[in-house]
Amino acid sequence: MPPLMAIEFLCRVADVLSDYLGGLNEDLIKDNFVIVYELLDEMIDNGFPLTTEPNILREMIAPPNIVNKMLSVVTGNSSNMSDTLPGATSSCIPWRTADPKYANNEVYVDLVEEMDAIVNRDGVLVKCEIYGEVQVNSHLSGVPDLTLSFANPSILDDVRFHPCVRFRPWESQQILSFVPPDGQFKLMSYRVRKLKSSPIYVKPQLTSDAGTCRVSVLVGIRNDPGKTIDSITVQFQLPPCILSADLTSNYGTVNILANKTCSWSIGRIPKDKAPAMSGTLVLETGLERLHVFPTFQVGFRIMGVALSGLQIDKLDLKNLPKPPYKGFRALTRAGEFEVRS
C-alpha cells in the first residue's frame, strides 16, 4: 500500500469529523460516538477507503443537532443513518449528488491563504511562504463542467487536488477542469515559496539586569497590501523564570493568561500612532539576567487580497441551461508567523 494513501485517508477522516462536529477533540468524539462510528463504517470498508466525500456522507448520515439528540433520548434510537442509499454511490461521478436542481445557479470561488514566516532577532525575514486553498461553493443544477484558469499558475508549488479534478489538463495547460461536488468543498491546495516581505512588522526589544527585564514591542505596517489589515494579535509565552509581569500598551488590550501567556489584541492599526507595548518582568530570586528569550506569535487577517500574488483569470461553465452567478473572494491570514527576540 502507498504510505501516503494512509496519511491522506487519515487527513480526510479528520476533515470530515471536524466538518460534522464543528471541531475535533476527545470530548466531541465521546459526545458523538455513534455518529463517529457510523462515519468510519462508511468511510472505510474491509480496509479500503470507500465514501470519503462530505456531501455524499451527509445524505447517508445526518450531522448532529439538538433535535436529533432530543429524539434519540425519547425514542432510544441513537442512529442518524438514512434508510436510502444516495444516488451518487451508483453513479460514475461518486462525489456529486445525483441530478440536483436549483432555481438560481451560482458558484463562488474563494482563495484562502495563510502566511508562515520566521523573523530573526535582527528583524531579517528568514523564511516566508504561503499555504493556500481554493475553496468552491457550488449550487449548480444537473452535471456542470467547469474550467478554472489562473493568470500566473507558474508560482504554485506542492499542488494537491480534489478527486474531481482531471489531471491531464493541469499537466498540459495548467488549468483546472472538473465536475464539482454539490455544496462547499476544497478544490485544491498549494504553496508559494520564498516571498520577500510581510505586510506588518513586529519589533521586540528585551533588556535585563538586576533581576528585572524591560520589554518593548512595536507593531506597524511594513508593506501596505491596499486593503485593511485587521484582527492583529501578538502573543508570547513568559519564560518559566518570570515571577510577575506588568505590561501596558498605548493601543489595544494586554492580558496575561493563567498559563503564563501574554496576549496583546490590537485589531486595526490606527493612522495617527504606532501601537506599542512596554513594561517590566520580574525574574526569580538569584537571577540577574534573562537567559531564555520568548518567541512572539503574530496573528492578522486581510480581506480581499491574496498576498501570494495568485490571480484567477477566468471561470468557464458548460452544460448549464442559463448563465449562473459567479463570485470571487480572497483572504490572507497569519499561519505560523513567528518573531524571535
Side-chain angles (χ1 to χ4, degrees):
M1 187 190 86
L4 282 175
M5 179 178 161
I7 295 168
E8 175 64 28
F9 177 74
L10 288 172
C11 289
R12 183 59 69 95
V13 169
D15 288 344
V16 168
L17 292 180
S18 298
D19 187 38
Y20 261 78
L21 310 180
L24 191 56
N25 57 48
E26 188 179 347
D27 293 335
L28 281 171
I29 288 175
K30 282 180 178 175
D31 293 344
N32 300 280
F33 177 76
V34 173
I35 284 180
V36 171
Y37 199 96
E38 288 172 347
L39 284 169
L40 291 174
D41 208 30
E42 292 299 331
M43 291 185 77
I44 195 159
D45 183 32
N46 199 28
F48 292 93
L50 191 63
T51 307
T52 60
E53 191 57 50
N55 301 317
I56 307 303
L57 286 167
R58 279 175 181 277
E59 287 188 48
M60 288 196 251
I61 302 160
N65 57 41
I66 300 292
V67 177
N68 287 351
K69 285 184 178 176
M70 288 173 67
L71 279 172
S72 70
V73 170
V74 174
T75 62
N77 177 22
S78 57
S79 175
N80 284 19
M81 191 76 79
S82 167
D83 295 330
T84 56
L85 200 63
T89 51
S90 59
S91 81
C92 59
I93 309 169
W95 55 82
R96 185 166 177 81
T97 310
D99 201 25
K101 289 182 172 60
Y102 292 99
N104 297 316
N105 286 309
E106 51 192 20
V107 58
Y108 301 95
V109 180
D110 292 347
L111 292 180
V112 180
E113 299 191 338
E114 287 190 352
M115 177 175 273
D116 297 339
I118 296 173
V119 181
N120 70 12
R121 59 184 301 173
D122 301 320
V124 177
L125 197 64
V126 177
K127 169 196 155 186
C128 186
E129 63 182 34
I130 293 273
Y131 170 79
E133 293 179 354
V134 179
Q135 297 178 358
V136 178
N137 197 354
S138 159
H139 299 288
L140 302 169
S141 304
V143 187
D145 205 315
L146 278 64
T147 305
L148 179 70
S149 58
F150 300 105
N152 50 347
S154 58
I155 65 171
L156 301 178
D157 273 329
D158 299 342
V159 289
R160 183 172 156 223
F161 301 113
H162 187 277
C164 70
V165 175
R166 301 178 183 105
F167 195 56
R168 283 204 177 155
W170 176 263
E171 257 191 330
S172 57
Q173 299 166 276
Q174 305 265 279
I175 60 171
L176 295 171
S177 172
F178 59 99
V179 174
D182 195 39
Q184 182 130 12
F185 68 101
K186 182 169 76 176
L187 179 65
M188 71 176 285
S189 63
Y190 58 87
R191 205 176 291 279
V192 179
R193 301 182 187 278
K194 296 179 181 175
L195 271 72
K196 297 287 188 283
S197 62
S198 61
I200 63 173
Y201 67 80
V202 175
K203 294 181 177 174
Q205 197 171 13
L206 287 84
T207 53
S208 59
D209 59 4
T212 61
C213 177
R214 284 179 294 283
V215 179
S216 166
V217 184
L218 287 173
V219 177
I221 294 175
R222 171 170 277 136
N223 285 310
D224 192 346
K227 300 282 184 181
T228 305
I229 306 174
D230 61 13
S231 304
I232 299 173
T233 59
V234 178
Q235 281 194 345
F236 67 97
Q237 187 78 33
L238 294 172
C241 59
I242 300 296
L243 288 179
S244 64
D246 180 22
L247 299 166
T248 56
S249 67
N250 66 350
Y251 191 82
T253 56
V254 180
N255 293 306
I256 297 173
L257 308 176
N259 61 352
K260 276 193 165 185
T261 300
C262 175
S263 175
W264 178 23
S265 298
I266 299 167
R268 296 182 181 180
I269 293 178
K271 293 181 179 177
D272 54 342
K273 61 182 172 184
M277 178 179 71
S278 58
T280 55
L281 310 176
V282 178
L283 308 184
E284 283 179 346
T285 312
L287 273 179
E288 285 290 309
R289 293 175 172 277
L290 190 66
H291 298 293
V292 180
F293 292 94
T295 298
F296 293 79
Q297 310 279 346
V298 183
F300 62 82
R301 186 184 66 172
I302 311 169
M303 297 291 291
V305 65
L307 285 183
S308 66
L310 184 66
Q311 293 178 327
I312 292 173
D313 183 28
K314 61 181 177 179
L315 175 64
D316 295 327
L317 297 95
K318 297 176 193 167
N319 300 347
L320 282 171
K322 56 183 179 180
Y325 176 78
K326 297 185 279 190
F328 302 94
R329 292 184 304 186
L331 160 71
T332 303
R333 55 182 175 231
E336 295 287 326
F337 196 109
E338 295 184 352
V339 181
R340 294 172 180 171
S341 60

